[in-house]
Amino acid sequence: MKNYIKVDEWKIIEEGFDPELNKISESIFSLGNGRMGKRANFEETYTGESLQGNYVAGVYYPDKTRVGWWKNGYPEYFAKVLNAANWIGIDIRIGDELLDLNTCEVKEFSRVLHMKEGYLERSFVAELKNGKQVKVNARRFCSIADDETGAICYSVTPLNFDDLFTITPYIDGDVKNQDSNYDEKFWDETGKEFDKEGAYLVMRTKKTGFEVCTGMVFGIEYEGGKREFPSQTISKTKYAGHGVQVQAVQGSEITVCKYAANLSSENYPSENLIGECRAMLARISSKGFEIMLREQAEAWALKWRESDIVIEGDAAAQQGIRFNIFQLNQTYTGEDARLNIGPKGFTGEKYGGSTYWDTEAYCLPFYLATAPPEVTRNLLIYRYKHLEKAIENARKLGFKGGAALYPMVTMNGEECHNEWEITFEEIHRNGAIAYAIFNYIRYTGDKEYLSEFGLEVLIGIARFWRQRVNWSAARNRYVMLGVTGPNEYENNVNNNWYTNSIACWCLEYAIEALEYVQSSSPEKYALIEKKTNFDRAGESAGWKHIIENMYFPESKELGVFLQQDGYLDKDQTLVEDLDPAERPLNQKWSWDRILRSVYIKQADVLQGLYFFEDRYDEAVIRRNFDFYEPRTVHESSLSPCVHAILAAKLGDEQRAYEFYLRTSRLDLDDYNNDTEDGLHITSMAGTWMSVVEGFAGMRVRNDQLHFKPFLPGKWESFSFNIFFRGVILNVRIDRDGVCLGNRSDKPLTVYVYDIPYHLERSGELQAGYPDINLKR
């Protein structure tokens, strides 16, 4: 665990430059706006260790799968979000020496992410080998107001000398992914143009044929005003820049304002890319950096109004939750149903930047409660549009009759994960897709979604489960063999309790949805029945038989559900008894040893108890929590949030807070020694869940909001806003109780500790705690 980020409620602050931490900081200080993103690489040359990262949403490359032993059904490629053209570059040459923090002596250094206003600032003083000292201040952001653009204000001052500065703003498309399977470069140059103070570089991806125009315009200010200086264009393969010479004197500041845009053929005709890019840059550069920065702050103020969580009395917890919310809002805006949320967002290459089940299981609740419903609806429609691909994925594995297996990893709906235990076995992902439909409708009340899109998906998923189980004569039950559950430290197991449970639930929900659509929209039902070739009597009967006869492993002696058959045959040494030097296991143990161990990477049985908590009494949940948590190493970023929510439900304040702090500061403190690969974006939504569903105890039951909050002991209060069915509800929890504020013109009934409270339009009221205490 690292501990070098300074605690501040609204800022992420790094003081002093340590090259060993640079790649971690490049992840932490990343910027994005839903259309594009940029790791916190330096504008000027840096020859030290770095992970260069510039990403454009929706643009990917099918990198040929690299495996030692090919198996039937393997995807032929692994889809990757590409490292695109570097738009931030500004080389600084002072006399004959290039400014490079890897070769200079860094006298002072700070890097600050201003989360409230949405920009990154970096300042340093460096001494070159010849003793010349320069001071630099750089501010930049990816604009939310103009969401295909970014802007940089880069100022450099000679502190103890006069000399000739050669300043080179540039675009560099000669980039590659560090995770390229065959060390291949994925881009070809197709066009290039120059203006007097601008350049445009068009690159096309190999195989997929996406085209992106990256453009820039710049201006230079010196001694208080914009000036023109001798310059020349620099044109190389996949590179476009301008070299500008400025004779600077000691103490005089040179400021470069650089504006950039990334326009994709996904949104513009290829032949118009340069023209559209030129027009966009003319528009934003005419506003100037400071006006753009003001608009950025205004756009972020709106986002913070919608999604902020305010914590009083715990600055580290406050910083953690705001950092997570900031990154979530940078990654996905919901404005384009073609886009989704990659596990690393715009902060790194790991996991290929593709869509996983994390979106449905973890991200959906955040966007449901902090954004208009169409944002979450777009996430669901994304999966609906991939239904035919899901049916094709299942067909490749031998399933028939319209059975649908949604991919573990995808860009376009086609499975592209290349590890057999994931591609073939981690099929519980299908359940997350169905659960997201249920969760969306439960929260929004938008039951029409079933007849428009949802029922077709549910039918395809139910058909898959029907074929995936088999009848065991020995058990006289249906079983599910050869699966991997959410705990990926187990592979090829039989009867994973969570997978069996969510499979049966999917069948139940599909039957419920069929009945609803048939009764509420008989004409639409008839069309769906015809389109899917659905045999209502035969298929529904088969589903019901599975529901009634599924096998679920359990230990009656211990009173717990068993993660899978044979789990109790393992050595039951607990995590607390492990040598700390052997952690994390995935970096210290062989895979064989991990698979034979009892240790759990992330919530598995507990994931099911979180999803379906209303089916189990508190005693059942407690027994399973107390059994499985001591065996869980939490080496997945998705693990702590589920444990925090369940611990809060069980009134275990201490463990709930510990899990919350771990998930909220997972990347800031580099808990798992992997932040340098990129941030854990999808698990950041789990941080929000830990507060709202955990500490505030928010649930939706029978179309009503329910809260059972407690106040963590270190906190004076916490508060947040919730969007719910046309109402904006402010919830504040402090030592006196729960204050509810209706910020809308619609009345609302809210339950606090199962007591109904009616809120009139724009009304407020106070709900007290039960007599027991703040811990419920």
Side-chain angles (χ1 to χ4, degrees):
M1 186 176 98
K2 315 297 189 300
N3 189 25
Y4 70 96
I5 298 298
K6 306 300 179 183
V7 173
D8 184 280
E9 293 186 351
W10 274 111
K11 299 173 183 176
I12 307 300
I13 303 170
E14 175 188 16
E15 293 180 350
F17 181 59
D18 183 346
E20 296 296 318
L21 300 174
N22 186 51
K23 288 204 295 185
I24 298 172
S25 293
E26 287 178 341
S27 297
I28 290 173
F29 292 87
S30 294
L31 297 173
N33 60 15
R35 291 285 181 190
M36 64 188 224
K38 181 76 186 78
R39 283 174 61 84
N41 310 126
F42 298 160
E43 290 86 358
E44 74 279 353
T45 295
Y46 182 67
T47 57
E49 192 170 356
S50 172
L51 175 60
Q52 292 293 312
N54 304 271
Y55 310 103
V56 180
V59 176
Y60 68 93
Y61 179 82
D63 198 10
K64 182 175 172 57
T65 298
R66 187 167 191 165
V67 294
W69 176 24
W70 194 271
K71 300 173 179 66
N72 288 335
Y74 254 177
E76 295 184 358
Y77 67 89
F78 188 74
K80 295 178 176 178
V81 167
L82 297 186
N83 186 14
N86 177 16
W87 58 270
I88 67 166
I90 304 174
D91 280 348
I92 306 293
R93 184 173 292 277
I94 303 165
D96 295 327
E97 189 169 347
L98 201 61
L99 178 60
D100 178 356
L101 294 192
N102 189 48
T103 60
C104 297
E105 181 181 351
V106 181
K107 298 286 190 179
E108 300 173 16
F109 183 93
S110 72
R111 188 162 18 190
V112 181
L113 183 61
H114 298 265
M115 297 185 290
K116 189 173 185 179
E117 299 86 3
Y119 72 96
L120 172 63
E121 182 174 20
R122 183 170 59 101
S123 301
F124 64 86
V125 173
E127 183 172 292
L128 281 64
K129 293 177 181 178
N130 56 18
K132 295 176 180 178
Q133 293 187 0
V134 294
K135 179 175 70 174
V136 170
N137 176 265
R139 295 176 293 160
R140 75 170 185 249
F141 58 92
C142 292
S143 174
I144 291 178
D146 300 287
D147 68 2
E148 293 168 305
T149 71
I152 304 168
C153 182
Y154 189 98
S155 299
V156 55
T157 305
L159 296 180
N160 61 353
F161 65 94
D162 303 341
D163 208 337
L164 179 68
F165 280 63
T166 302
I167 300 169
T168 307
Y170 65 87
I171 303 165
D172 183 9
D174 192 18
V175 296
K176 69 176 184 179
N177 278 42
Q178 288 194 7
D179 67 352
S180 171
N181 285 340
Y182 295 90
D183 203 30
E184 180 183 8
K185 292 185 177 181
F186 302 139
W187 295 93
D188 290 324
E189 180 183 326
T190 62
K192 183 189 298 176
E193 291 186 12
F194 290 91
D195 293 335
K196 184 178 180 182
E197 293 182 329
Y200 308 86
L201 184 65
V202 182
M203 306 292 292
R204 178 188 290 136
T205 60
K206 300 174 181 178
K207 296 184 182 180
T208 46
F210 294 106
E211 288 192 273
V212 175
C213 176
T214 301
M216 71 165 189
V217 297
F218 68 94
I220 295 181
E221 296 180 5
Y222 184 62
E223 294 183 336
K226 184 175 180 181
R227 302 272 295 276
E228 292 188 10
F229 297 93
S231 68
Q232 63 178 4
T233 59
I234 304 172
S235 181
K236 298 182 287 189
T237 302
K238 302 182 183 179
Y239 180 101
H242 285 266
V244 182
Q245 293 189 329
V246 180
Q247 185 65 49
V249 298
Q250 179 177 334
S252 295
E253 183 179 74
I254 308 166
T255 297
V256 183
C257 288
K258 181 177 179 181
Y259 308 91
N262 285 300
L263 272 58
S264 164
S265 58
E266 285 285 271
N267 303 311
Y268 301 90
S270 295
E271 63 273 17
N272 295 345
L273 281 172
I274 289 181
E276 294 283 357
C277 192
R278 180 178 279 115
M280 182 170 292
L281 287 173
R283 180 173 59 82
I284 66 168
S285 62
S286 68
K287 291 191 286 189
F289 183 86
E290 297 300 334
I291 290 177
M292 285 189 71
L293 183 60
R294 188 177 70 224
E295 292 175 346
Q296 175 82 342
E298 291 169 353
W300 269 105
L302 178 59
K303 287 192 175 292
W304 287 118
R305 233 176 0 254
E306 295 171 342
S307 57
D308 191 19
I309 292 177
V310 179
I311 298 170
E312 295 181 315
D314 190 335
Q318 177 70 86
Q319 183 185 44
I321 189 64
R322 281 195 172 129
F323 177 69
N324 285 263
I325 293 169
F326 178 79
Q327 293 295 344
L328 285 165
N329 280 322
Q330 288 199 129
T331 302
Y332 182 75
T333 63
E335 296 176 2
D336 190 336
R338 297 170 299 174
L339 302 178
N340 208 282
I341 307 160
K344 295 295 182 187
F346 295 119
T347 71
E349 300 172 6
K350 194 173 181 181
Y351 304 121
S354 305
T355 304
Y356 286 62
W357 70 289
D358 308 17
T359 293
E360 285 75 21
Y362 298 93
C363 296
L364 202 84
F366 171 78
Y367 293 104
L368 273 173
T370 64
E374 54 267 22
V375 170
T376 309
R377 207 173 204 263
N378 275 345
L379 288 173
L380 300 185
I381 291 172
Y382 175 92
R383 293 293 193 178
Y384 172 77
K385 289 181 176 179
H386 289 171
L387 176 58
E388 289 305 313
K389 286 286 189 181
I391 292 172
E392 181 182 322
N393 293 333
R395 191 181 303 124
K396 289 177 180 178
L397 300 185
F399 296 88
K400 302 175 182 178
L405 175 59
Y406 275 89
M408 187 67 181
V409 180
T410 194
M411 277 293 190
N412 62 358
E414 187 176 15
E415 177 65 75
C416 63
H417 200 289
N418 57 11
E419 296 176 3
W420 65 268
E421 67 273 17
I422 305 299
T423 304
F424 302 152
E425 292 194 343
E426 200 164 341
I427 53 178
H428 67 82
R429 61 193 187 250
N430 246 15
I433 308 301
Y435 190 83
I437 296 171
F438 162 77
N439 207 9
Y440 167 77
I441 293 171
R442 175 176 63 176
Y443 195 91
T444 64
D446 180 14
K447 292 185 178 180
E448 294 305 307
Y449 184 81
L450 285 173
S451 58
E452 292 183 65
F453 305 107
L455 182 56
E456 291 179 52
V457 173
L458 295 174
I459 289 172
I461 289 173
R463 284 171 164 171
F464 171 81
W465 291 125
R466 171 66 185 91
Q467 296 176 49
R468 186 58 173 78
V469 301
N470 65 272
W471 181 259
S472 167
R475 294 189 185 276
N476 201 32
R477 286 285 185 271
Y478 286 99
V479 296
M480 201 174 319
L481 309 178
V483 304
T484 296
N487 171 27
E488 293 171 341
Y489 287 177
E490 302 273 7
N491 299 153
N492 201 38
V493 303
N494 295 334
N495 296 307
N496 171 260
W497 181 87
Y498 172 75
T499 305
N500 287 16
S501 296
I502 204 162
C504 280
W505 176 86
C506 287
L507 297 174
E508 293 174 22
Y509 187 50
I511 292 170
E512 179 186 325
L514 283 164
E515 293 171 351
Y516 174 79
V517 174
Q518 187 177 37
S519 62
S520 63
S521 307
E523 292 182 359
K524 289 183 178 179
Y525 175 81
L527 290 173
I528 293 170
E529 191 174 56
K530 182 179 180 180
K531 181 179 179 181
T532 61
N533 195 27
F534 183 65
D535 174 10
R536 174 70 183 274
E539 294 194 64
S540 293
W543 299 351
K544 289 177 181 177
H545 196 256
I546 294 169
I547 294 166
E548 294 165 359
N549 294 279
M550 178 65 85
Y551 167 70
F552 299 98
E554 64 176 319
S555 169
K556 294 189 181 297
E557 180 182 354
L558 296 174
V560 299
F561 305 122
L562 291 181
Q563 185 174 269
Q564 74 264 348
D565 289 348
Y567 184 76
L568 291 181
D569 292 334
K570 295 170 176 283
D571 177 81
Q572 296 293 317
T573 301
L574 302 182
V575 173
E576 67 181 6
D577 296 320
L578 283 173
D579 182 350
E582 297 189 0
R583 303 281 304 280
L585 301 184
N586 58 19
Q587 297 176 24
K588 302 296 180 65
W589 282 17
S590 70
W591 195 244
D592 166 74
R593 189 179 180 189
I594 289 175
L595 292 177
R596 288 186 287 106
S597 78
V598 75
Y599 302 117
I600 300 168
K601 179 182 180 185
Q602 68 188 74
D604 196 303
V605 169
L606 298 186
Q607 181 74 41
L609 295 178
Y610 162 66
F611 272 172
F612 306 120
E613 65 174 10
D614 290 342
R615 296 187 168 199
Y616 307 101
D617 62 35
E618 188 170 300
V620 170
I621 296 173
R622 186 181 300 279
R623 282 197 303 273
N624 281 275
F625 185 87
D626 289 343
F627 180 79
Y628 284 108
E629 196 285 319
R631 292 163 171 79
T632 303
V633 290
H634 302 291
E635 289 175 8
S636 165
S637 63
L638 300 174
S639 187
C641 68
V642 171
H643 289 80
I645 294 166
L646 291 178
K649 176 183 176 63
L650 297 172
D652 190 338
E653 176 186 336
Q654 179 178 348
R655 281 200 288 185
Y657 180 79
E658 289 171 358
F659 288 129
Y660 161 77
L661 206 58
R662 176 163 181 162
T663 189
S664 72
R665 299 191 64 85
L666 180 76
D667 289 310
L668 288 178
D669 296 335
D670 194 22
Y671 267 95
N672 290 342
N673 295 316
D674 60 0
T675 300
E676 67 179 37
D677 297 327
L679 304 178
H680 298 81
I681 298 297
T682 48
S683 73
M684 289 178 168
T687 306
W688 179 92
M689 290 161 58
S690 298
V691 175
V692 176
E693 296 184 14
F695 302 151
M698 188 184 86
R699 303 290 190 273
V700 178
R701 296 192 176 98
N702 300 318
D703 298 319
Q704 304 281 359
L705 277 177
H706 289 247
F707 293 92
K708 288 188 176 181
F710 78 87
L711 185 67
K714 294 185 177 182
W715 297 5
E716 295 298 323
S717 71
F718 66 101
S719 61
F720 52 88
N721 287 335
I722 291 295
F723 286 82
F724 184 72
R725 303 194 181 188
V727 172
I728 300 176
L729 178 69
N730 178 260
V731 180
R732 176 182 168 85
I733 292 120
D734 59 25
R735 300 200 176 278
D736 295 323
V738 183
C739 181
L740 303 173
N742 187 346
R743 303 293 186 254
S744 308
D745 60 0
K746 290 176 59 178
L748 178 71
T749 297
V750 178
Y751 287 75
V752 181
Y753 299 107
D754 298 323
I755 299 172
Y757 293 88
H758 186 72
L759 275 166
E760 296 293 346
R761 302 172 182 177
S762 303
E764 291 193 1
L765 58 83
Q766 184 85 13
Y769 290 109
D771 291 338
I772 45 176
N773 56 33
L774 289 179
K775 300 180 183 178
R776 284 177 274 153

